[in-house]
Each structure stands twice: as structure tokens, then as C-alpha cells.
């Protein structure tokens, strides 16, 4: 073969290779040994299931059998990999400090004094090196816990570990109550006996709260293999709570259907929810308002999925069909109806991509339903960090406001009606900090929702008192609620129905903390919805105090069908009404009620 012919052959092969490489992404879904790399651009064709080989391999098996097989195979064929979940120096320091808010009380003792002394010695022995601001702060926390005098700290390394002083006129204090729960946890009346069960340790154990405030273990047959998230809902509309369990590390999720007595059947495969997507989170919502709850799930590495439930109580993936496309990294999600059009809206916190606030756009055909992202409309700046978002009614105008983090600090968008959001961050005196989690509750029962702002490990959390819908006052130190842990999930409820808000949050280290406000609380009324309650139902309380001053307090039911509403100094509840999401009132309003009592409404 001539030299010229060889050159032509090589050139031809190079052209062919170039054509293949240039079109690789379009043909990659067809290649049996590779998965596509998704971008923010919506694929033109329905993307393939990335877990399709696992689906084929385990077809026809139950979830428990699948998980058992996977774990057995992993145990027999261990893969050398970096250890997961190794505590950082910050986590070790937090675990060694007193379990108390700053400044540490005199009676607070370290959990591990020896570790703290070794930690201090290590940093002081490196005194010749320049310490970072983080190391200086950690050194001062350790020495404060050990009650070492400031004079023993080099002057340029001294920091005041006491948070900024606050007025001590606020009389409410938080009690740090013992709790037996282990993360992940959830709560609800799963066995229909009228009391709340607390499901703990990823779904593998459960408790009742007795009259003395202790968590008492109860039989719990629901979940064999723990999950990384628990999401209760009555998905099949039979009047009892079912439980969706998410799992990571390639293990399948579980849809646990309640038989009605607190016993469960795993129907994951039957309802079309079997997947191996290493799920991060899940939220229930009826996106198309057909009366059947749908399910949204997010993954760190795979696209967000929205499963639509049909009338047969089975689920089908529709996110791509509805142009709802998040290629990966969904870490936070919260659902609310911010424009009062009875259509769920939702916020998504996404790692590596811009966070999103979607408005549901109605259609007569669920296939044409769409979601409009309005997050960029508020000049919050670009961010590739996933941050929490939270909906609550800041000023009791009946419209849900939106709290999030942007440009390195907390931002509040006020809802003036029909979903019109205006940023009022500067006007309401929010602290200049970031956040890892939000929770809203009425700390003093004055009828306005206050805030818990969770912060990073070794930064103190914030408690913000809502001053009648005008602004916030930081009462973190005064209320003794400024712990140094890192909340990642916050649950608020009146657990023992005594008029006191209970704040239970999970930390990044998997611990659970239970805070309850004590002191001169205002009056209250507790409302529970039974029968067939719906998310989006509105409760409206109208009360008057002894000076005949009227107060109107609206609340929207979202996820929990019982709530306590603070009444301040009200002497009477003039009116208590319930309005369903479609605007109808299923029961007659109640009039002239005494405060400090429980009221139940049965929804037909």
C-alpha cells in the first residue's frame, strides 16, 4: 500500500472519529454501557432511566428482599473506599463542649474535658503559626468551656464568646428537654387511636409521649431497613397515614401503605415507585388538583422526578413531560400556595445550580400543566449553593411570605397578595447571617409567628421574636435558645396540646433537640382536623381582648392537620372558621369560645 493511501485512510478515520465525538452526547443514551451526563438544557427526548439495569435485575422482588440482597453482596465483595461520615474537627469540638447555649452557664460542664484540653494544647503549641479566624473562635470556645481565664490566651487570639447583649425584658425561656428520638424522624397518628406516634431512627422504631413528657417505646412493625428521610401522607385517601421512606447509597425507597391499624404493607413495586436513585428528599403535593396526592423526589446525582398519582393509586413519572427539569443536586424543597389560586407552588434549593421558586400554572389537562420559575425576578443574586427556603405568614395578612438565603444573608420576601413578593429584608431587622434551616412558631402565643434560624456548626442559632408583623427582635441569648449545633430539619407542633409550641430539630450530626418555651405565655386555642382534611385548608380565628381590640389570625394547614394558635390577651374567640382550598366551608363557624381549649372539626 502506498504512503499516500495510508495517509488518506488515517485522515478518513480521523474525520469519522471527529463526527462520532461531536455527536456523542446525542447518541450516549443509546450506548448500553454508559449513562448520559445531563445539563440544565431539557433533553429533547425522554431521558432513559439511569437505574434501568437495577430495575431489570430485581424485577418481581419485594423491596426488603432487594435491600437484603444488595447488602449481602456488598458485604461479600467489599470495595475499598474513603470512610463516610468521619466527624470533622468542628463536629468533635461540638460534641466535647457543654450541651448548652452561649454564653455557657456556670453549671454547664463539658462533655469531654480531656479532649478539649488536648485540643487547646494542640492549637497553643502551633502558636508560632498564624491562626485562622475559625481556629481562634474554636480555641476560645474550648477555653470558655474549660473555664480558663482570658489572661491565659494570647491577646491577639482572644475573642468574646458571649453573643451580643440583648434586652432581658423578654420573659420567655426555652427548656432543653430530653428526647429519645433519633434522626430521621417524623410524627403522626398512624394507628388511628387519636394520639401521636413519633417514628424514629429512619422508620425502624416508634414512641408515644406520655403524660409526664417522656418518650415511651411502642411496637412498630413498619420498616425493616432504615431510611434517610420519612414522609407521611394519606396518599390513597383512605383516612390513615401512609409513609414514604427515602434511602441513599443506591438502595431503593419504600412506599408503606397503612392497613388502618398501624400495620403496613410495602407496596413500592405495585404502585410504580421502585427506584435506585439515592434519594435526598421527598414532598407530597397535589400538583394538578385532581384529589390524588402526587410525589416529588430529589437526588444528589440524578434528575428531580415528579410522580403523578392516577385514579388507580399508582404513580407515573411526569417531570420531563411537564418541562420540570432539574438535572441533579436537589437538596431542599418546600410546598405552599403563595398566590391563593389553589395550585401548589414550591421552592427548590439546588446544589451547583440556581435555586428556584416555581409557580404552578393550571391547565384543564394535567399533561399541559406547567411551572414558572420566578426566583430570578427578585434580584437575589446568582448562587450555586443550595439553601433552605420557608413559607410563613409574617404579618397575618393571610398571604404566605417567603424566607430564604441569598448573597450570604437571610432575605424576606413579603407577599402583598396574589403572589406579589417584595423584598423587605432591611425593614424587618433580620440578622446578617446565612442559614441551614428555618422554622416558624409562636414562642409567646401573641398570635404572630416567630422564627428559628439554624446556622452552621459552632455558630449560634437565632431565635427571632415577631413584633406584631412589623419587624423582628433577636432574643437568642435572652430566651436561651442559641445552641451551637447545626439544624437541618425543623418540626414545630404542640406535642402535648398544652398551649406551648414544641420545636424539635435534627442536626447535621444526626442528633435531635427538643426546645419548649416556658414563661408568661398568652392564651391559645388548639384546632385539629379529622375525617378528610386537605393541605391548603385555612383556619381563621377572630378574637377580642379585654380592651375590645380585635385580632384576626389566619393560618394555612400544610402537612400537619392540628395546630395551636396563640391568642395573646384575648378574653374571647368571637369566631373560628374553616375554609377548604376550593373556598367552601365544610362546617359552620364556631362563635364566642373560651380560650385555652381544644377544638376538633370533622371534614366530610
Amino acid at each position: 500500500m502506498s504512503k499516500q493511501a495510508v495517509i488518506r485512510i488515517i485522515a478518513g478515520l480521523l474525520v469519522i472519529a471527529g463526527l462520532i465525538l461531536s455527536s456523542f452526547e446525542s447518541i450516549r443514551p443509546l450506548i448500553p454501557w454508559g449513562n448520559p451526563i445531563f445539563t440544565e438544557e431539557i433533553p429533547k427526548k425522554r431521558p432513559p432511566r439511569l437505574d434501568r439495569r437495577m430495575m431489570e435485575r430485581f424485577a418481581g422482588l419485594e423491596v426488603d428482599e432487594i435491600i437484603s440482597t444488595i447488602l449481602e453482596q456488598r458485604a461479600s465483595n467489599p470495595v475499598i473506599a474513603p470512610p463516610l461520615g468521619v466527624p470533622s474537627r468542628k463536629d468533635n469540638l461540638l460534641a466535647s463542649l457543654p450541651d448548652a447555649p452561649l454564653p455557657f452557664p456556670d453549671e454547664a460542664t463539658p462533655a469531654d474535658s480531656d479532649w478539649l484540653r488536648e485540643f487547646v494544647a494542640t492549637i497553643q503549641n502551633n502558636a508560632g503559626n498564624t491562626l485562622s479566624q475559625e481556629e481562634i473562635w474554636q480555641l476560645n470556645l474550648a477555653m470558655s468551656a474549660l473555664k480558663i481565664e482570658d489572661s491565659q490566651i494570647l491577646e491577639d487570639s482572644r475573642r468574646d464568646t458571649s453573643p451580643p447583649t440583648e434586652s432581658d425584658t423578654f420573659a420567655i425561656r426555652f427548656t432543653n428537654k430530653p428526647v429519645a428520638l433519633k434522626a430521621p424522624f417524623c410524627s403522626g397518628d398512624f394507628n388511628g387511636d387519636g394520639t401521636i406516634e413519633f417514628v424514629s431512627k429512619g422508620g425502624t422504631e416508634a414512641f408515644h409521649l406520655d403524660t409526664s413528657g417522656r418518650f415511651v417505646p411502642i411496637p412498630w412493625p413498619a420498616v425493616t431497613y432504615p431510611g434517610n428521610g420519612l414522609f407521611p401522607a394519606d396518599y390513597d385517601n383512605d383516612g390513615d397515614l401512609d409513609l414514604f421512606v427515602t434511602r441513599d447509597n443506591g438502595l431503593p425507597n419504600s412506599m408503606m401503605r397503612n392497613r388502618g391499624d398501624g400495620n403496613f404493607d410495602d407496596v413500592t413495586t405495585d404502585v410504580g415507585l421502585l427506584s435506585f436513585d439515592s434519594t435526598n428528599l421527598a414532598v407530597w403535593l397535589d400538583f394538578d388538583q385532581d384529589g390524588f396526592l402526587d410525589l416529588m423526589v430529589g437526588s444528589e446525582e440524578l434528575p428531580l422526578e415528579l410522580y403523578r398519582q392516577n385514579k388507580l393509586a399508582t404513580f407515573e413519572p411526569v417531570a420531563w413531560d411537564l418541562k420540570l427539569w432539574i438535572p441533579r443536586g436537589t437538596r431542599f424543597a418546600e410546598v405552599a400556595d403563595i398566590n391563593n389560586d389553589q395550585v401548589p407552588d414550591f421552592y427548590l434549593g439546588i446544589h451547583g445550580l440556581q435555586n428556584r421558586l416555581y409557580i404552578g400554572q393550571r391547565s384543564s389537562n394535567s399533561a399541559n400543566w406547567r411551572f414558572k420559575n420566578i426566583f430570578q425576578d427578585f434580584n437575589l443574586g446568582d448562587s450555586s449553593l443550595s439553601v433552605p427556603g420557608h413559607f410563613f405568614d409574617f404579618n397575618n395578612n393571610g398571604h404566605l411570605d417567603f424566607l430564604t438565603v441569598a448573597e450570604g444573608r437571610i432575605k424576606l420576601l413579603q407577599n402583598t397578595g396574589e403572589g406579589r413578593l417584595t423584598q423587605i429584608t432591611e425593614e424587618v431587622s433580620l440578622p446578617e447571617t446565612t442559614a441551614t434551616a428555618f422554622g416558624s412558631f409562636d414562642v409567646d402565643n401573641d398570635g404572630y409567628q416567630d422564627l428559628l434560624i439554624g446556622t452552621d456548626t459552632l455558630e449560634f442559632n437565632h431565635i427571632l421574636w415577631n413584633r406584631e408583623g412589623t419587624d423582628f427582635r433577636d432574643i437568642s441569648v435572652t430566651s436561651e435558645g442559641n445552641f451551637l449545633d447545626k439544624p437541618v430539619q425543623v418540626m414545630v407542633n404542640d406535642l402535648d396540646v398544652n398551649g406551648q409550641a414544641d420545636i424539635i430539630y435534627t442536626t447535621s450530626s444526626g442528633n435531635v433537640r427538643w426546645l419548649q418555651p416556658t414563661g408568661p405565655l398568652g392564651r391559645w386555642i388548639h384546632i385539629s382536623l379529622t375525617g378528610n382534611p386537605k393541605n391548603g385548608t385555612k383556619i381563621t380565628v377572630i378574637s377580642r381582648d379585654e380592651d375590645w381590640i380585635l385580632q384576626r389570625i389566619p393560618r394555612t394547614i400544610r402537612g400537619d392537620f392540628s395546630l395551636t394558635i396563640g391568642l395573646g390577651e384575648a378574653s374571647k374567640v368571637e369566631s373560628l372558621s374553616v375554609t377548604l382550598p376550593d373556598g367552601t366551608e365544610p362546617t359552620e363557624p364556631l362563635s364566642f369560645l373560651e380560650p385555652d381549649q381544644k377544638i376538633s372539626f370533622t371534614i366530610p
Side-chain angles (χ1 to χ4, degrees):
M1 185 179 296
S2 68
K3 182 178 180 181
Q4 190 174 11
V6 171
I7 292 174
R8 281 199 295 267
I9 291 172
I10 293 174
L13 292 173
L14 290 174
V15 170
I16 293 172
L19 291 173
I20 292 174
L21 289 174
S22 66
S23 58
F24 181 73
E25 289 305 321
S26 62
I27 68 171
R28 189 170 183 174
L30 303 178
I31 298 176
W33 59 84
N35 283 325
I37 299 176
F38 295 124
T39 66
E40 288 190 76
E41 183 179 355
I42 301 176
K44 294 179 180 179
K45 295 182 179 180
R46 173 179 288 279
R49 288 193 62 143
L50 302 188
D51 61 350
R52 58 194 181 279
R53 293 179 192 81
M54 296 291 283
M55 294 289 291
E56 294 168 357
R57 176 184 172 191
F58 292 108
L61 298 184
E62 298 296 329
V63 168
D64 277 1
E65 187 177 355
I66 294 172
I67 295 176
S68 176
T69 301
I70 292 174
L71 295 180
E72 286 177 3
Q73 291 176 346
R74 289 177 180 176
S76 61
N77 298 288
V79 177
I80 298 176
L84 299 176
V86 176
S88 66
R89 184 174 71 176
K90 290 169 65 174
D91 292 327
N92 286 328
L93 175 56
L94 176 66
S96 302
L97 292 171
D99 185 24
L102 282 180
F104 297 132
D106 292 338
E107 66 275 12
T109 58
D112 190 340
S113 298
D114 293 338
W115 190 95
L116 289 177
R117 292 190 186 96
E118 183 179 343
F119 174 75
V120 169
T122 300
I123 291 186
Q124 288 182 327
N125 290 338
N126 293 329
N129 301 324
T130 302
L131 299 179
S132 67
Q133 292 301 313
E134 182 179 53
E135 289 174 321
I136 292 173
W137 173 247
Q138 293 174 3
L139 171 66
N140 281 265
L141 284 175
M143 298 189 78
S144 175
L146 293 168
K147 298 180 174 57
I148 297 175
E149 297 292 334
D150 287 349
S151 58
Q152 298 187 46
I153 307 176
L154 294 175
E155 187 173 353
D156 59 354
S157 296
R158 294 177 192 167
R159 295 291 185 274
D160 185 2
T161 57
S162 299
T165 57
E166 303 164 353
S167 169
D168 60 0
T169 58
F170 195 82
I172 306 299
R173 300 291 183 270
F174 279 105
T175 299
N176 183 23
K177 304 191 70 173
V179 58
L181 302 180
K182 298 179 179 65
F185 73 92
C186 69
S187 66
D189 182 4
F190 289 95
N191 60 12
D193 65 354
T195 61
I196 298 297
E197 288 79 54
F198 297 86
V199 183
S200 171
K201 206 173 181 179
T204 57
E205 61 184 23
F207 300 84
H208 272 157
L209 192 66
D210 69 11
T211 54
S212 64
R214 294 184 305 111
F215 285 94
V216 179
I218 60 173
W220 181 251
V223 178
T224 304
Y225 296 97
N228 65 350
L230 306 174
F231 303 91
D234 181 12
Y235 86 90
D236 53 359
N237 290 338
D238 65 353
D240 50 54
L241 278 179
D242 310 299
L243 184 63
F244 185 66
V245 182
T246 59
R247 296 187 179 90
D248 54 11
N249 199 24
L251 298 178
N253 304 322
S254 290
M255 182 67 249
M256 308 302 297
R257 185 178 185 275
N258 196 336
R259 298 180 192 170
D261 57 1
N263 291 292
F264 294 79
D265 295 317
D266 191 323
V267 296
T268 312
T269 302
D270 298 336
V271 300
L273 288 176
L274 180 64
S275 69
F276 301 82
D277 290 347
S278 295
T279 306
N280 275 347
L281 59 89
V283 289
W284 291 99
L285 71 165
D286 183 4
F287 85 87
D288 54 0
Q289 295 297 280
D290 63 353
F292 299 94
L293 282 175
D294 312 303
L295 182 64
M296 183 185 296
V297 297
S299 166
E300 185 70 28
E301 300 296 334
L302 303 178
L304 179 83
E305 190 56 86
L306 175 60
Y307 292 95
R308 179 179 180 270
Q309 184 184 178
N310 57 38
K311 294 180 181 180
L312 299 176
T314 60
F315 294 83
E316 55 183 346
V318 296
W320 176 81
D321 306 80
L322 304 180
K323 312 300 182 186
L324 177 63
W325 179 253
I326 310 293
R328 71 187 66 82
T330 309
R331 292 185 177 178
F332 296 98
E334 185 160 343
V335 176
D337 178 11
I338 64 174
N339 54 5
N340 289 335
D341 65 351
Q342 304 172 32
V343 177
D345 312 306
F346 52 91
Y347 166 78
L348 300 176
I350 311 163
H351 182 68
L353 299 174
Q354 183 71 33
N355 303 309
R356 308 192 186 178
L357 178 57
Y358 282 105
I359 302 297
Q361 297 184 304
R362 187 190 302 272
S363 171
S364 58
N365 184 344
S366 63
N368 295 325
W369 216 276
R370 290 295 181 266
F371 307 96
K372 180 182 179 183
N373 178 27
I374 63 170
F375 192 83
Q376 70 279 357
D377 297 346
F378 306 110
N379 298 318
L380 296 178
D382 293 330
S383 174
S384 59
L385 298 175
S386 61
V387 296
H390 184 61
F391 299 100
F392 76 116
D393 189 353
F394 161 63
N395 56 2
N396 284 350
N397 67 351
H399 306 294
L400 291 173
D401 309 300
F402 179 59
L403 193 69
T404 189
V405 176
E407 299 175 321
R409 66 165 301 183
I410 300 167
K411 300 291 180 76
L412 177 61
L413 302 179
Q414 184 179 29
N415 190 343
T416 58
E418 298 181 355
R420 293 187 295 269
L421 300 175
T422 304
Q423 188 178 159
I424 58 169
T425 302
E426 303 299 333
E427 294 91 324
V428 297
S429 306
L430 290 172
E432 295 188 13
T433 183
T434 59
T436 59
F438 297 117
S440 55
F441 56 97
D442 189 351
V443 65
D444 57 348
N445 283 348
D446 67 348
Y448 289 88
Q449 295 187 77
D450 312 298
L451 292 173
L452 165 69
I453 308 293
T455 58
D456 203 358
T457 306
L458 301 182
E459 298 177 17
F460 64 87
N461 301 317
H462 291 271
I463 306 294
L464 304 182
W465 179 45
N466 185 342
R467 303 204 298 179
E468 298 185 351
T470 58
D471 65 357
F472 291 99
R473 173 178 151 195
D474 199 326
I475 58 167
S476 308
V477 179
T478 302
S479 66
E480 300 176 4
N482 57 324
F483 288 84
L484 295 171
D485 46 20
K486 178 182 177 180
V488 294
Q489 178 192 6
V490 182
M491 184 191 82
V492 178
N493 205 331
D494 183 358
L495 301 183
D496 39 12
V497 193
N498 62 354
Q500 295 171 297
D502 297 283
I503 300 95
I504 300 184
Y505 64 78
T506 302
T507 71
S508 59
S509 58
N511 296 321
V512 178
R513 188 179 300 283
W514 177 13
L515 299 176
Q516 187 178 74
T518 58
L521 301 175
R523 293 167 177 167
W524 54 274
I525 192 162
H526 182 86
I527 300 104
S528 61
L529 303 182
T530 60
N532 188 29
K534 299 291 184 184
N535 277 323
T537 298
K538 295 185 182 300
I539 308 291
T540 304
V541 173
I542 299 176
S543 64
R544 287 188 189 272
D545 63 16
E546 295 176 353
D547 296 323
W548 207 241
I549 296 176
L550 182 142
Q551 185 178 25
R552 183 178 183 273
I553 306 172
R555 290 287 184 268
T556 301
I557 296 292
R558 292 190 294 129
D560 196 331
F561 298 115
S562 67
L563 76 165
T564 296
I565 297 178
L567 302 174
E569 298 303 316
S571 56
K572 289 286 184 184
V573 174
E574 286 203 348
S575 173
L576 173 57
S577 61
V578 176
T579 306
L580 295 180
D582 61 5
T584 61
E585 295 187 2
T587 62
E588 291 292 327
L590 302 179
S591 302
F592 299 105
L593 302 172
E594 294 293 331
D596 303 340
Q597 66 166 309
K598 312 172 203 176
I599 300 293
S600 178
F601 288 93
T602 299
I603 309 299

